[in-house]
Amino acid sequence: MSDRTGLREADNGHAADHAYRLIREQILSGQRSAGEWLREGELAESIGVSRTPVREALRRLTAEGLVRHERNRGVQVQAWSIHDLDEIFSLRSVLEPWGCRLAATTGTVDVAALDALAHRMDEVAPDGRPTDVDQLTELNNQFHRMILEASDNSRLAGVVSSVIQMPLVWRTFSHYSPEALRRSLAHHHELVAALTAADPDWAESVMRSHVRAAWHSIRPGHDM
């Protein structure tokens, strides 16, 4: 293989990574809606790359389950049913409470940082009415990720991340009523209290209630 060929392949690899990250973020943020057809040419033009890296990016996204390939038609953003989301939240209700229980026993959780995030979410959603859903979602993700990372289980955070990213397509918090969101935000403060007390039973119980309440909050308004 010549040096020039190697450089070209490296450039294509970087372009494919860039296209993959951008398209993936568009899907997870809801910018690309469920059922939308993704055309290679349009994507390549909007991203500023050739079709080859876009094709590789779509292959990776297909493997992740974020898009589906239909022969002779193309690639479509995956649509998820109520049953799919029920499975996802059922997995969350097992994995996250366990991770929270572990975090309560390791002594590595940064409760001050969690407390700051909880208060920041209160500010972004005064009286349960979010002023910036995207920011609230990102703060919430940070909060949950910090707890999982404190579990000292190196694989758990990655497994949970792969499970929970699908519901984020529908911007979970945008489906909450003010009452439901106030309850969710209150759970964050109780989680901080349970982790501060290093009480694994309390922490696990609150996280399980938090996840199940989230599912019941968004399900009535779920619209595919």
Side-chain angles (χ1 to χ4, degrees), residues 150-185:
S151 71
D152 276 356
N153 186 310
S154 60
R155 293 177 175 84
L156 182 59
V159 171
V160 173
S161 177
S162 68
V163 168
I164 70 173
Q165 58 187 224
M166 300 310 172
L168 296 184
V169 176
W170 293 276
R171 301 184 182 213
T172 302
F173 286 117
S174 65
H175 292 271
Y176 276 46
S177 68
E179 179 184 3
L181 186 50
R182 287 195 297 270
R183 179 175 60 240
S184 178
L185 297 178

mmCIF file of all heavy atoms in Angstrom, residues 150-185:
data_model
loop_
_atom_site.group_PDB
_atom_site.id
_atom_site.type_symbol
_atom_site.label_atom_id
_atom_site.label_comp_id
_atom_site.label_asym_id
_atom_site.label_seq_id
_atom_site.Cartn_x
_atom_site.Cartn_y
_atom_site.Cartn_z
ATOM 1 N N ALA A 150 -19.428 5.954 39.859
ATOM 2 C CA ALA A 150 -19.007 5.764 41.251
ATOM 3 C C ALA A 150 -19.273 4.346 41.746
ATOM 4 O O ALA A 150 -18.884 3.990 42.857
ATOM 5 C CB ALA A 150 -19.722 6.769 42.157
ATOM 6 N N SER A 151 -19.929 3.530 40.914
ATOM 7 C CA SER A 151 -20.217 2.147 41.319
ATOM 8 C C SER A 151 -18.964 1.284 41.316
ATOM 9 O O SER A 151 -18.964 0.179 41.865
ATOM 10 C CB SER A 151 -21.252 1.528 40.370
ATOM 11 O OG SER A 151 -20.682 1.286 39.090
ATOM 12 N N ASP A 152 -17.905 1.784 40.661
ATOM 13 C CA ASP A 152 -16.652 1.031 40.511
ATOM 14 C C ASP A 152 -16.830 -0.238 39.691
ATOM 15 O O ASP A 152 -16.035 -1.175 39.802
ATOM 16 C CB ASP A 152 -16.039 0.682 41.881
ATOM 17 C CG ASP A 152 -15.195 1.830 42.427
ATOM 18 O OD1 ASP A 152 -15.041 2.843 41.716
ATOM 19 O OD2 ASP A 152 -14.707 1.711 43.569
ATOM 20 N N ASN A 153 -17.890 -0.274 38.890
ATOM 21 C CA ASN A 153 -18.090 -1.376 37.944
ATOM 22 C C ASN A 153 -17.818 -0.796 36.561
ATOM 23 O O ASN A 153 -18.622 -0.027 36.033
ATOM 24 C CB ASN A 153 -19.509 -1.927 38.052
ATOM 25 C CG ASN A 153 -19.731 -3.163 37.192
ATOM 26 O OD1 ASN A 153 -19.411 -3.169 36.007
ATOM 27 N ND2 ASN A 153 -20.275 -4.208 37.781
ATOM 28 N N SER A 154 -16.695 -1.156 35.991
ATOM 29 C CA SER A 154 -16.235 -0.506 34.764
ATOM 30 C C SER A 154 -17.146 -0.751 33.578
ATOM 31 O O SER A 154 -17.165 0.051 32.634
ATOM 32 C CB SER A 154 -14.816 -0.980 34.420
ATOM 33 O OG SER A 154 -14.782 -2.378 34.215
ATOM 34 N N ARG A 155 -17.915 -1.830 33.588
ATOM 35 C CA ARG A 155 -18.771 -2.148 32.445
ATOM 36 C C ARG A 155 -20.192 -1.602 32.591
ATOM 37 O O ARG A 155 -20.899 -1.430 31.601
ATOM 38 C CB ARG A 155 -18.837 -3.662 32.240
ATOM 39 C CG ARG A 155 -17.510 -4.274 31.794
ATOM 40 C CD ARG A 155 -17.598 -5.792 31.667
ATOM 41 N NE ARG A 155 -16.355 -6.341 31.126
ATOM 42 C CZ ARG A 155 -15.290 -6.620 31.850
ATOM 43 N NH1 ARG A 155 -15.298 -6.370 33.149
ATOM 44 N NH2 ARG A 155 -14.211 -7.126 31.288
ATOM 45 N N LEU A 156 -20.605 -1.338 33.812
ATOM 46 C CA LEU A 156 -21.999 -0.980 34.048
ATOM 47 C C LEU A 156 -22.406 0.306 33.345
ATOM 48 O O LEU A 156 -23.468 0.372 32.713
ATOM 49 C CB LEU A 156 -22.257 -0.865 35.559
ATOM 50 C CG LEU A 156 -23.702 -0.551 35.959
ATOM 51 C CD1 LEU A 156 -24.652 -1.617 35.453
ATOM 52 C CD2 LEU A 156 -23.800 -0.423 37.474
ATOM 53 N N ALA A 157 -21.573 1.342 33.438
ATOM 54 C CA ALA A 157 -21.923 2.625 32.823
ATOM 55 C C ALA A 157 -22.110 2.468 31.316
ATOM 56 O O ALA A 157 -23.040 3.040 30.734
ATOM 57 C CB ALA A 157 -20.845 3.667 33.120
ATOM 58 N N GLY A 158 -21.241 1.683 30.675
ATOM 59 C CA GLY A 158 -21.359 1.476 29.241
ATOM 60 C C GLY A 158 -22.614 0.714 28.874
ATOM 61 O O GLY A 158 -23.287 1.047 27.885
ATOM 62 N N VAL A 159 -22.952 -0.297 29.667
ATOM 63 C CA VAL A 159 -24.152 -1.085 29.400
ATOM 64 C C VAL A 159 -25.396 -0.215 29.551
ATOM 65 O O VAL A 159 -26.289 -0.220 28.695
ATOM 66 C CB VAL A 159 -24.233 -2.299 30.352
ATOM 67 C CG1 VAL A 159 -25.586 -2.992 30.230
ATOM 68 C CG2 VAL A 159 -23.116 -3.283 30.041
ATOM 69 N N VAL A 160 -25.468 0.554 30.623
ATOM 70 C CA VAL A 160 -26.637 1.406 30.856
ATOM 71 C C VAL A 160 -26.741 2.474 29.777
ATOM 72 O O VAL A 160 -27.834 2.773 29.291
ATOM 73 C CB VAL A 160 -26.581 2.053 32.255
ATOM 74 C CG1 VAL A 160 -27.702 3.070 32.416
ATOM 75 C CG2 VAL A 160 -26.693 0.984 33.328
ATOM 76 N N SER A 161 -25.606 3.031 29.367
ATOM 77 C CA SER A 161 -25.614 4.046 28.318
ATOM 78 C C SER A 161 -26.221 3.504 27.032
ATOM 79 O O SER A 161 -27.008 4.173 26.365
ATOM 80 C CB SER A 161 -24.198 4.555 28.054
ATOM 81 O OG SER A 161 -24.181 5.480 26.991
ATOM 82 N N SER A 162 -25.874 2.265 26.677
ATOM 83 C CA SER A 162 -26.400 1.671 25.457
ATOM 84 C C SER A 162 -27.890 1.394 25.577
ATOM 85 O O SER A 162 -28.619 1.371 24.585
ATOM 86 C CB SER A 162 -25.659 0.377 25.124
ATOM 87 O OG SER A 162 -25.940 -0.635 26.070
ATOM 88 N N VAL A 163 -28.361 1.199 26.801
ATOM 89 C CA VAL A 163 -29.776 0.916 27.031
ATOM 90 C C VAL A 163 -30.618 2.189 27.016
ATOM 91 O O VAL A 163 -31.688 2.242 26.407
ATOM 92 C CB VAL A 163 -29.968 0.186 28.384
ATOM 93 C CG1 VAL A 163 -31.435 0.147 28.778
ATOM 94 C CG2 VAL A 163 -29.406 -1.228 28.299
ATOM 95 N N ILE A 164 -30.139 3.246 27.681
ATOM 96 C CA ILE A 164 -31.013 4.398 27.907
ATOM 97 C C ILE A 164 -30.999 5.418 26.792
ATOM 98 O O ILE A 164 -31.818 6.326 26.782
ATOM 99 C CB ILE A 164 -30.670 5.120 29.230
ATOM 100 C CG1 ILE A 164 -29.321 5.852 29.117
ATOM 101 C CG2 ILE A 164 -30.706 4.171 30.383
ATOM 102 C CD1 ILE A 164 -29.014 6.718 30.314
ATOM 103 N N GLN A 165 -30.087 5.311 25.809
ATOM 104 C CA GLN A 165 -30.036 6.371 24.805
ATOM 105 C C GLN A 165 -31.246 6.397 23.891
ATOM 106 O O GLN A 165 -31.593 7.434 23.339
ATOM 107 C CB GLN A 165 -28.764 6.263 23.979
ATOM 108 C CG GLN A 165 -28.590 4.956 23.268
ATOM 109 C CD GLN A 165 -27.227 4.848 22.608
ATOM 110 O OE1 GLN A 165 -27.138 4.418 21.477
ATOM 111 N NE2 GLN A 165 -26.175 5.226 23.295
ATOM 112 N N MET A 166 -31.942 5.273 23.712
ATOM 113 C CA MET A 166 -33.093 5.266 22.820
ATOM 114 C C MET A 166 -34.246 6.152 23.302
ATOM 115 O O MET A 166 -34.798 6.921 22.527
ATOM 116 C CB MET A 166 -33.591 3.826 22.625
ATOM 117 C CG MET A 166 -32.549 2.902 22.030
ATOM 118 S SD MET A 166 -31.779 3.619 20.547
ATOM 119 C CE MET A 166 -30.485 2.433 20.270
ATOM 120 N N PRO A 167 -34.635 6.067 24.581
ATOM 121 C CA PRO A 167 -35.723 6.944 25.013
ATOM 122 C C PRO A 167 -35.387 8.421 24.862
ATOM 123 O O PRO A 167 -36.287 9.256 24.759
ATOM 124 C CB PRO A 167 -35.907 6.583 26.495
ATOM 125 C CG PRO A 167 -35.364 5.214 26.605
ATOM 126 C CD PRO A 167 -34.230 5.152 25.649
ATOM 127 N N LEU A 168 -34.094 8.766 24.853
ATOM 128 C CA LEU A 168 -33.736 10.174 24.735
ATOM 129 C C LEU A 168 -34.100 10.748 23.377
ATOM 130 O O LEU A 168 -34.148 11.964 23.207
ATOM 131 C CB LEU A 168 -32.238 10.365 25.003
ATOM 132 C CG LEU A 168 -31.772 10.006 26.410
ATOM 133 C CD1 LEU A 168 -30.298 10.335 26.573
ATOM 134 C CD2 LEU A 168 -32.598 10.734 27.453
ATOM 135 N N VAL A 169 -34.356 9.878 22.393
ATOM 136 C CA VAL A 169 -34.797 10.365 21.088
ATOM 137 C C VAL A 169 -36.052 11.217 21.254
ATOM 138 O O VAL A 169 -36.266 12.186 20.545
ATOM 139 C CB VAL A 169 -35.088 9.185 20.142
ATOM 140 C CG1 VAL A 169 -35.632 9.676 18.807
ATOM 141 C CG2 VAL A 169 -33.833 8.360 19.927
ATOM 142 N N TRP A 170 -36.872 10.853 22.167
ATOM 143 C CA TRP A 170 -38.133 11.585 22.369
ATOM 144 C C TRP A 170 -38.025 12.636 23.467
ATOM 145 O O TRP A 170 -39.042 13.141 23.953
ATOM 146 C CB TRP A 170 -39.254 10.583 22.670
ATOM 147 C CG TRP A 170 -39.529 9.750 21.475
ATOM 148 C CD1 TRP A 170 -40.329 10.057 20.415
ATOM 149 C CD2 TRP A 170 -38.957 8.480 21.167
ATOM 150 N NE1 TRP A 170 -40.292 9.063 19.482
ATOM 151 C CE2 TRP A 170 -39.457 8.076 19.904
ATOM 152 C CE3 TRP A 170 -38.058 7.630 21.814
ATOM 153 C CZ2 TRP A 170 -39.110 6.890 19.285
ATOM 154 C CZ3 TRP A 170 -37.702 6.439 21.201
ATOM 155 C CH2 TRP A 170 -38.227 6.092 19.959
ATOM 156 N N ARG A 171 -36.783 12.965 23.816
ATOM 157 C CA ARG A 171 -36.558 14.026 24.796
ATOM 158 C C ARG A 171 -37.476 13.851 26.007
ATOM 159 O O ARG A 171 -38.424 14.612 26.206
ATOM 160 C CB ARG A 171 -36.772 15.388 24.148
ATOM 161 C CG ARG A 171 -35.844 15.614 22.963
ATOM 162 C CD ARG A 171 -36.025 17.002 22.404
ATOM 163 N NE ARG A 171 -35.176 17.189 21.244
ATOM 164 C CZ ARG A 171 -34.620 18.328 20.915
ATOM 165 N NH1 ARG A 171 -34.803 19.381 21.646
ATOM 166 N NH2 ARG A 171 -33.876 18.416 19.838
ATOM 167 N N THR A 172 -37.134 12.855 26.772
ATOM 168 C CA THR A 172 -37.987 12.408 27.863
ATOM 169 C C THR A 172 -38.659 13.534 28.628
ATOM 170 O O THR A 172 -39.857 13.515 28.873
ATOM 171 C CB THR A 172 -37.150 11.557 28.845
ATOM 172 O OG1 THR A 172 -36.580 10.463 28.123
ATOM 173 C CG2 THR A 172 -38.002 11.025 29.964
ATOM 174 N N PHE A 173 -37.903 14.556 29.004
ATOM 175 C CA PHE A 173 -38.470 15.585 29.866
ATOM 176 C C PHE A 173 -39.569 16.395 29.191
ATOM 177 O O PHE A 173 -40.400 17.000 29.865
ATOM 178 C CB PHE A 173 -37.363 16.515 30.359
ATOM 179 C CG PHE A 173 -36.486 15.891 31.412
ATOM 180 C CD1 PHE A 173 -35.141 15.683 31.179
ATOM 181 C CD2 PHE A 173 -37.017 15.506 32.625
ATOM 182 C CE1 PHE A 173 -34.332 15.100 32.139
ATOM 183 C CE2 PHE A 173 -36.220 14.924 33.604
ATOM 184 C CZ PHE A 173 -34.873 14.720 33.351
ATOM 185 N N SER A 174 -39.594 16.430 27.869
ATOM 186 C CA SER A 174 -40.632 17.202 27.187
ATOM 187 C C SER A 174 -41.997 16.555 27.336
ATOM 188 O O SER A 174 -43.025 17.174 27.047
ATOM 189 C CB SER A 174 -40.285 17.369 25.696
ATOM 190 O OG SER A 174 -40.290 16.115 25.044
ATOM 191 N N HIS A 175 -42.035 15.287 27.794
ATOM 192 C CA HIS A 175 -43.300 14.582 27.982
ATOM 193 C C HIS A 175 -43.819 14.696 29.417
ATOM 194 O O HIS A 175 -44.932 14.266 29.701
ATOM 195 C CB HIS A 175 -43.130 13.101 27.627
ATOM 196 C CG HIS A 175 -42.880 12.848 26.182
ATOM 197 N ND1 HIS A 175 -43.898 12.651 25.267
ATOM 198 C CD2 HIS A 175 -41.730 12.772 25.467
ATOM 199 C CE1 HIS A 175 -43.385 12.444 24.065
ATOM 200 N NE2 HIS A 175 -42.070 12.518 24.162
ATOM 201 N N TYR A 176 -43.017 15.262 30.311
ATOM 202 C CA TYR A 176 -43.410 15.324 31.712
ATOM 203 C C TYR A 176 -44.441 16.430 31.951
ATOM 204 O O TYR A 176 -44.338 17.513 31.389
ATOM 205 C CB TYR A 176 -42.196 15.649 32.588
ATOM 206 C CG TYR A 176 -41.338 14.473 32.977
ATOM 207 C CD1 TYR A 176 -40.955 13.523 32.046
ATOM 208 C CD2 TYR A 176 -40.877 14.332 34.282
ATOM 209 C CE1 TYR A 176 -40.145 12.466 32.404
ATOM 210 C CE2 TYR A 176 -40.056 13.276 34.645
ATOM 211 C CZ TYR A 176 -39.697 12.344 33.699
ATOM 212 O OH TYR A 176 -38.900 11.309 34.046
ATOM 213 N N SER A 177 -45.376 16.132 32.832
ATOM 214 C CA SER A 177 -46.225 17.203 33.357
ATOM 215 C C SER A 177 -45.404 17.939 34.408
ATOM 216 O O SER A 177 -44.417 17.405 34.926
ATOM 217 C CB SER A 177 -47.481 16.606 34.002
ATOM 218 O OG SER A 177 -47.123 15.885 35.175
ATOM 219 N N PRO A 178 -45.786 19.173 34.763
ATOM 220 C CA PRO A 178 -45.050 19.887 35.812
ATOM 221 C C PRO A 178 -44.983 19.093 37.123
ATOM 222 O O PRO A 178 -43.938 19.051 37.773
ATOM 223 C CB PRO A 178 -45.840 21.184 35.976
ATOM 224 C CG PRO A 178 -46.433 21.422 34.619
ATOM 225 C CD PRO A 178 -46.796 20.041 34.122
ATOM 226 N N GLU A 179 -46.088 18.443 37.484
ATOM 227 C CA GLU A 179 -46.099 17.653 38.721
ATOM 228 C C GLU A 179 -45.112 16.499 38.636
ATOM 229 O O GLU A 179 -44.363 16.223 39.588
ATOM 230 C CB GLU A 179 -47.504 17.114 38.977
ATOM 231 C CG GLU A 179 -47.603 16.254 40.234
ATOM 232 C CD GLU A 179 -48.981 15.637 40.422
ATOM 233 O OE1 GLU A 179 -49.844 15.829 39.545
ATOM 234 O OE2 GLU A 179 -49.178 14.966 41.452
ATOM 235 N N ALA A 180 -45.091 15.801 37.497
ATOM 236 C CA ALA A 180 -44.183 14.660 37.332
ATOM 237 C C ALA A 180 -42.730 15.112 37.349
ATOM 238 O O ALA A 180 -41.867 14.436 37.918
ATOM 239 C CB ALA A 180 -44.495 13.928 36.036
ATOM 240 N N LEU A 181 -42.457 16.260 36.739
ATOM 241 C CA LEU A 181 -41.079 16.740 36.720
ATOM 242 C C LEU A 181 -40.637 17.189 38.106
ATOM 243 O O LEU A 181 -39.491 16.951 38.504
ATOM 244 C CB LEU A 181 -40.929 17.878 35.704
ATOM 245 C CG LEU A 181 -39.498 18.380 35.481
ATOM 246 C CD1 LEU A 181 -38.541 17.224 35.205
ATOM 247 C CD2 LEU A 181 -39.464 19.387 34.345
ATOM 248 N N ARG A 182 -41.529 17.813 38.848
ATOM 249 C CA ARG A 182 -41.181 18.199 40.221
ATOM 250 C C ARG A 182 -40.847 16.951 41.047
ATOM 251 O O ARG A 182 -39.903 16.959 41.842
ATOM 252 C CB ARG A 182 -42.337 18.971 40.870
ATOM 253 C CG ARG A 182 -42.515 20.394 40.350
ATOM 254 C CD ARG A 182 -43.411 21.211 41.272
ATOM 255 N NE ARG A 182 -44.767 20.671 41.332
ATOM 256 C CZ ARG A 182 -45.758 21.030 40.525
ATOM 257 N NH1 ARG A 182 -45.532 21.942 39.570
ATOM 258 N NH2 ARG A 182 -46.972 20.517 40.642
ATOM 259 N N ARG A 183 -41.604 15.883 40.849
ATOM 260 C CA ARG A 183 -41.327 14.634 41.565
ATOM 261 C C ARG A 183 -39.970 14.063 41.167
ATOM 262 O O ARG A 183 -39.193 13.625 42.013
ATOM 263 C CB ARG A 183 -42.427 13.606 41.268
ATOM 264 C CG ARG A 183 -42.208 12.266 41.956
ATOM 265 C CD ARG A 183 -43.387 11.312 41.749
ATOM 266 N NE ARG A 183 -43.606 11.040 40.340
ATOM 267 C CZ ARG A 183 -44.743 11.327 39.691
ATOM 268 N NH1 ARG A 183 -45.753 11.886 40.329
ATOM 269 N NH2 ARG A 183 -44.878 11.060 38.407
ATOM 270 N N SER A 184 -39.668 14.107 39.859
ATOM 271 C CA SER A 184 -38.385 13.592 39.378
ATOM 272 C C SER A 184 -37.219 14.379 39.961
ATOM 273 O O SER A 184 -36.220 13.797 40.404
ATOM 274 C CB SER A 184 -38.348 13.666 37.846
ATOM 275 O OG SER A 184 -37.109 13.211 37.349
ATOM 276 N N LEU A 185 -37.350 15.700 39.993
ATOM 277 C CA LEU A 185 -36.281 16.540 40.538
ATOM 278 C C LEU A 185 -36.115 16.308 42.040
ATOM 279 O O LEU A 185 -34.995 16.339 42.560
ATOM 280 C CB LEU A 185 -36.576 18.012 40.248
ATOM 281 C CG LEU A 185 -36.628 18.411 38.763
ATOM 282 C CD1 LEU A 185 -36.978 19.876 38.604
ATOM 283 C CD2 LEU A 185 -35.300 18.098 38.069
#
